[in-house]
Amino acid sequence: MNQKGSSLLLVLLVTLIFMTLGMAILSASIGGAKRTEFRKVETITLQESIKSIDEVIARLKVYTLNVDITKTTPIEYEIKLNEFLLELIDEYELDYDKPEDIDISLQYNVGEQMRQKLYTRVYQIRKKAGNKIVSRNVIISASPSFLKYALGSRTDVTLNGGTYIDGNIYVQEDFYVSNSANYIYNGYKKTTLTTFPTTSPTSLLFAKENMYSCSYGTQCYQVTNSGDFIGEQALFSRVNKEGAELNNSFKGNAPIYQKSHDEFIDVDVMTTFADKLFDAAGASFSNPAIRNRYSQYLEDKENTDDNKRQVIDNLLDDLKSSYNITNNFIDFEDLTQQDKSILVESTNGTDNIYVDVSCINFKGYYFENNECNQTPNTGHYLNSHWLIFDGNAFFENTGTERMNIAANILVTGDVFIRGDIAFDSTLYVLGDATIYNADISGVKDQNEKEKEIVMIVQGELNIARINEFTNSSDKDENLRGYFYTNSNAILYAVGSNINIRGGLFAKGNSNQLLPNTNSHGLVINTFRGNAEESLGLYDKLLLTQSEDLQKARFKVIYDKNIFIEQQQGLPLVNKLDLIADDLVIK
């Protein structure tokens, strides 16, 4: 009996253990299934919210593209836009009570006075997704299309070597890449092996025509007897932009190819220059008939650039009485306190004007240890005051202290920039622009937010000897701004170490070749690695190749803030465009 009782207890105990284990497994399975179902629902909800935001932005973009700003004021446009936003809020159940909540323009210094004059607005499209919030900021602006891209051209783009690009690329004609870089040293023309370019994972490529790639290093280019770098066309293979060949033409990350159906909104530098001259004249010139007559003549496609230039010279003569005029910088600071733009004329029978002051302040900044300070309330930063140079302007800083330039600037001749200079400027140049051995940073406002320069050049843009033979990548950028030329442009960053925060765009001229090449548009030659001058050798550099991304000697990091920070000085076009920021999930 005792043995039977013990056996029964043992059986019951084993049964209880298995039942307990079974219940635990069943409970875990049910709990796991519930968690899986919850995660599935959460994922679906998140995807639906992202889809809704994308649809809202797409519809908002279509709406803005159809706005004719020549027939509406900024305030009228804002009222109609808010009505449309209210429809979107209701339809997509966005996380707002009223359209005003979606507007975050004030966070980007688009205040009431700016809103009355300009069409720039910033909105945050936001929707709940369970316990998360999905949002995306968009900027609506009446600005030319080139400002949307980190790098590009209306003609060809050629990237020779290990460029790094964080932003989108626009190529209207042909796109060439290679793992070689051309450079000129002491007059000798050389080609060196290096890596292919690299982009950020989110960079997009808008290339409308063909793409070609050469992976043969120094064989990709030959130097002719006449001293030109000529691409070996037989070694540049056609690339399928939508296939794996695109990835093989880049080192590491490659851009994502995307077709562009948007109209490219161009800028006419001559016409814009004339418009800014009128803006600079302000209320002291109030004859719309004269303005319309000049604008019609400049917009006439039959007129040559030489004819347009003569028109601008005549216009400047007509508007002179509207400006404060000086030919030196002795009384310059007194003039900046007056409620007029300033016209600086050349002297001594030359066209050259040398900026020999440590600071120019049109925007109400306080610069430590500077004599040109203004309190924020007395500056002219809410008005349309400009600094106009009738001649060639030289911004050269040969001292140890940084030069600060806080002014929007018009130059009828050439511009030369050298040394350590901080800008808060939109700068228009009718001639050529040269940036030589310069470190361009941004003026910092009272909140320590760094500004930038937007340079728009009718002639050639030359950037040379920037951070030359410096191999450290400690500095975030040495050219802070956006640089545009209406012509072709070629950059050599083999000895130089160029780091742009902003963008670079060359409209290009298909009928004119760049010097020492058989190319047009935008050409960048750059090495990835260390570069030093060779001791005892005069015909080549000592180059140590690296695949480290930080060793790229030409980088461009796109910055959308130019639409906001320089909105008053940017070219105004007749169409609105929308620029979307990255998606944020919190």
Side-chain angles (χ1 to χ4, degrees), residues 4-18:
K4 290 180 179 180
S6 298
S7 297
L8 179 60
L9 286 172
L10 181 61
V11 169
L12 290 172
L13 182 60
V14 170
T15 301
L16 180 61
I17 291 171
F18 275 107

Side-chain angles (χ1 to χ4, degrees), residues 67 69 111 156 169 413 509 517:
V67 174
I69 65 174
D156 292 353
I169 305 167
N509 183 350
T517 74

Side-chain angles (χ1 to χ4, degrees), residues 19 22 56 88 124 314 320 328 342 351 359 361 400 407 421 423 477 493 519 533-534 578 584:
M19 285 180 66
V56 168
L88 296 177
Q124 184 180 79
N314 295 338
K320 273 188 177 181
N328 62 70
I342 297 177
D351 290 329
C359 173
N361 190 359
T400 57
I421 306 178
F423 282 95
E477 68 266 344
S519 305
E533 292 188 280
S534 304
L578 182 147
V584 176

